[in-house]
Amino acid sequence: MSLLLGTTITISSNHWMMAWTGLEINTLAIIPLISKSHHPRAIEAATKYFLTQAAASALLLFSSMTNAWFTGQWDITQLTHPTSCLLLTTAVSIKLGLTPFHLNSPEVLQGSSMTTGLLLATLMKFPPTALLVLTSPSLNPTLLTTMAIASAALGGWMGLNQTQVRKILAFSSISHLGWMTIILLYNPKLTLLTFYLYCLMTSAIFLALNTTKITNLATMMTAWTKIPPLAATLMLALLSLAGLPPLTGFLPKWLIIQELTKQEMTPVATTIALLSLLGLFFYLRLAYCATITLPPNSSNHMKQWQTNKSVRIPITTLISLSIMLLPLSPMIFATT
């Protein structure tokens, strides 16, 4: 309830103090969820998360106060002072985990459970993204483009040698944030569309991994023996997250590259498209482990063809949407 309240307060406020209050409620609400297992790694993740988020909140408050001091404005859309804009970009980048403030994000996700990891990767990134969209006309284009390309590069590069699935998804998140940030100044609605579709695909993957109890590549290799249909659809959801046509994940990448080309930023579009190939490698590796590898000692127990009723409908709905939304793109354009 507190997470939903904090998110709602931040995205619906037009005063900096209310936005800051919502972010603080969010941070304080997620800490018990991260540390509830009482495992040392979970406590470490909660501590790291709290320290970084507290630093980001302090910077955000400092940014808004500096702007109010010089301009007399507390309105979110009236952020005009250059120092305030720089501080806000830093604060929101720490909140989201954009490069070069990405180092705590994979560690926190690795120390959390799958359900908490899902919240951290999706819902917790919504309020900072909303603040970025609201303040986008005031932000520095060169700084945002540099951070976006660095995020896409590091997200793909650092995910290559990972064996833990949650860390791979954390680096995937960093890479996707790069795509969202690069288009922010030119088409903020496209940033939000990319974020929504990213949340959709990530939710489907996290729920599928949670159902089959997959935590690393080794357990992923035996997952197909538990629920074969889910393993097959998980492969398609992973390829969708990689951005392969004709799956849903291709839509935001296609639109972003098209918009960047219209803005005469063809070299930037080419660079970020090539960097997405790094991510494609580890998504393909996950998909390969999920469906194609046959472990040496395959279990002989009866295959489970039906999952738990409470997760059956959400997983089916989310995976279907993650795979089949591309033909509906004209309708999506009309609504956004």
Side-chain angles (χ1 to χ4, degrees), residues 41 44-45 48 103-112 167 170:
R41 181 160 288 196
E44 182 191 341
K48 282 179 178 173
L103 292 168
N104 71 304
S105 179
E107 298 294 330
V108 170
L109 219 63
Q110 180 58 32
S112 315
K167 275 197 176 177

Side-chain angles (χ1 to χ4, degrees), residues 8 36 55 63 97 127 137 184 187-188 192 211 213 246 266 276 297 310 323:
T8 310
K36 70 179 178 185
S63 161
L184 179 69
N187 193 340
L192 282 177
T211 306
K213 300 289 178 282
T266 314
S276 70
N297 301 315
S310 61
I323 295 167

Side-chain angles (χ1 to χ4, degrees), residues 1-8 10-11 22-23 26 29-30 33 49 95-96 115-130 195 198-200 202-203 206:
M1 288 295 287
S2 296
L3 278 175
L4 291 173
L5 175 68
T7 303
T8 310
T10 301
I11 63 175
L23 289 170
N26 258 7
I30 198 78
L33 290 176
Y49 188 78
K95 286 263 176 203
L96 288 171
T115 320
T116 312
L118 169 60
L119 288 173
L120 285 168
T122 55
L123 185 65
M124 293 300 290
K125 293 195 191 299
F126 189 31
T129 307
F195 180 75
Y198 159 75
C199 286
L200 177 78
T202 306
S203 302
F206 266 105

Side-chain angles (χ1 to χ4, degrees), residues 155-162 168 175 217 238-239 241-244 273-289:
W157 197 261
M158 294 178 76
L160 291 178
N161 65 343
Q162 300 296 331
I168 291 174
S175 180
L217 294 181
L238 284 163
L239 294 179
L241 196 60
L244 286 184
L274 287 172
L275 288 171
S276 70
L277 292 174
L278 290 167
L280 176 63
F281 177 82
F282 60 73
Y283 292 123
L284 280 173
R285 190 172 60 174
L286 284 174
Y288 176 76
C289 289

Side-chain angles (χ1 to χ4, degrees), residues 23-38:
L23 289 170
E24 284 298 296
I25 292 170
N26 258 7
T27 304
L28 293 173
I30 198 78
I31 295 292
L33 290 176
I34 299 172
S35 59
K36 70 179 178 185
S37 67
H38 299 297

Side-chain angles (χ1 to χ4, degrees), residues 254-302:
W254 167 35
L255 292 177
I256 288 170
I257 289 172
Q258 187 181 26
E259 185 65 34
L260 286 172
T261 313
K262 279 182 192 170
Q263 299 290 339
E264 297 183 356
M265 296 176 71
T266 314
V268 173
T270 309
T271 307
I272 201 161
L274 287 172
L275 288 171
S276 70
L277 292 174
L278 290 167
L280 176 63
F281 177 82
F282 60 73
Y283 292 123
L284 280 173
R285 190 172 60 174
L286 284 174
Y288 176 76
C289 289
T291 49
I292 303 169
T293 50
L294 186 66
N297 301 315
S298 181
S299 54
N300 295 319
H301 65 76
M302 199 72 173

